[in-house]
Amino acid sequence: MMIFALYITIAMVTLAVLLNVYRLIKGPDAPDRVLALDTLYINAIALIILLGITLGTRMYLEAALLIAVMGFVGTVAMAKYLKRGSVIE
């Protein structure tokens, strides 16, 4: 039963990733694209964690943590760039 629930969850998160990619490409303006990129990396973290649970290993946790840190830094940099026009003052 747990494996079945994991497969359904992976399918739903994959659908969320596809919808985020659509919003990233089709987004009406830049802040919507930054928000789509932010939720895309969050969904990527979820997929990696679910894959680690499915395979029964903890090795994927480190990759998820790296994606979380890099995604946060990227989102902050993009938001600062959109607000002020430069990242480094």
Side-chain angles (χ1 to χ4, degrees):
M1 186 69 176
M2 183 71 167
I3 298 297
F4 182 69
L6 280 171
Y7 288 147
I8 289 175
T9 307
I10 288 172
M12 294 172 85
V13 173
T14 304
L15 177 66
V17 166
L18 293 174
L19 291 172
N20 281 327
V21 169
Y22 173 75
R23 178 51 57 197
L24 185 64
I25 293 169
K26 188 78 173 170
D29 53 355
D32 286 331
R33 290 190 172 124
V34 171
L35 184 63
L37 192 62
D38 186 46
T39 55
L40 185 67
Y41 87 79
I42 291 171
N43 286 329
I45 292 169
L47 276 176
I48 289 172
I49 295 295
L50 287 170
L51 181 66
I53 291 171
T54 303
L55 296 176
T57 182
R58 294 183 185 180
M59 293 296 293
Y60 293 101
L61 181 63
E62 293 176 16
L65 288 173
L66 284 172
I67 289 175
V69 169
M70 298 305 280
F72 174 74
V73 170
T75 301
V76 169
M78 287 299 293
K80 193 172 180 183
Y81 177 75
L82 289 175
K83 185 176 180 183
R84 297 186 182 157
S86 70
V87 177
I88 299 172
E89 295 177 357

